[in-house]
Amino acid sequence: MTTPPSEGDTVADFTLPDQRGRAQRLSELLVDGPVVLFFYPAAMTPGCTAEACRFRDMNAEFRQAGAHSVGISMDDVARQTEFADTHGFDFPLLSDVEGRVAELFGVLITNADGSTQVTRDTFVIGTDRRVVTHVHDESNMNRHADAALAALR
């Protein structure tokens, strides 16, 4: 497993489809300001729903800080669409079905049964593609958005 990037590290550029099937490139997302990239294990599950809803509910505060949220999981585009539509998410939910980007960020794990999933990690990425902060917390769903916003302020 790759180690997650640390504060100050430059992250690789990548392109993935969002919940509408549109290609989203990190470098293009960063044109509008810092990106708060939050990885979540599975759309439509209780913990991931709570986490993503926290980002949705704090969207105005992120925008005021000049940043925007982007979610990412190994769910396919159809599942991301359902997740976004069900909960009114107005930010991109990226589909990393093969776990390629999760591996780049060091958040891909292999379970005992051989299946893979992402861990619950958030990276605030500056417009220069450098990590501003990294949050890893599997149990406190609010901590990700709260810590990301604190780092931006």
Side-chain angles (χ1 to χ4, degrees), residues 5 9-17 22-39 68-72 92 94 100-101 104-105 123-131:
D9 289 350
T10 300
V11 298
D13 201 9
F14 64 84
T15 302
L16 288 172
R22 295 178 299 227
Q24 298 282 349
R25 187 173 184 91
L26 177 62
S27 56
E28 292 170 4
L29 291 166
L30 289 168
V31 168
D32 295 327
V35 167
V36 180
L37 185 66
F38 67 99
F39 287 86
H68 51 283
S69 303
V70 176
I72 184 170
L94 306 182
R100 183 180 53 83
V101 174
L104 284 173
F105 277 82
F123 298 88
V124 176
I125 304 169
T127 56
D128 58 358
R129 286 197 356 245
R130 292 189 182 277
V131 174

Side-chain angles (χ1 to χ4, degrees), residues 2-128:
T2 306
T3 304
S6 300
E7 250 179 60
D9 289 350
T10 300
V11 298
D13 201 9
F14 64 84
T15 302
L16 288 172
D18 68 11
Q19 70 267 31
R20 303 292 174 233
R22 295 178 299 227
Q24 298 282 349
R25 187 173 184 91
L26 177 62
S27 56
E28 292 170 4
L29 291 166
L30 289 168
V31 168
D32 295 327
V35 167
V36 180
L37 185 66
F38 67 99
F39 287 86
Y40 55 96
M44 304 298 289
T45 59
C48 296
T49 298
E51 178 185 13
C53 285
R54 180 71 168 179
F55 278 100
R56 178 200 62 204
D57 295 347
M58 294 176 67
N59 190 43
E61 293 171 81
F62 281 111
R63 292 240 182 256
Q64 188 175 30
H68 51 283
S69 303
V70 176
I72 184 170
S73 74
M74 292 178 67
D75 294 294
D76 63 21
V77 170
R79 187 72 166 173
Q80 299 288 41
T81 301
E82 178 186 9
F83 195 34
D85 291 349
T86 298
H87 299 287
F89 300 139
D90 57 352
F91 46 80
L93 296 180
L94 306 182
S95 180
D96 185 23
V97 175
E98 296 172 4
R100 183 180 53 83
V101 174
E103 177 64 27
L104 284 173
F105 277 82
V107 300
L108 185 69
I109 60 170
T110 302
N111 299 314
D113 65 1
S115 65
T116 56
Q117 71 177 55
V118 300
T119 55
R120 194 176 310 281
D121 286 85
T122 298
F123 298 88
V124 176
I125 304 169
T127 56
D128 58 358

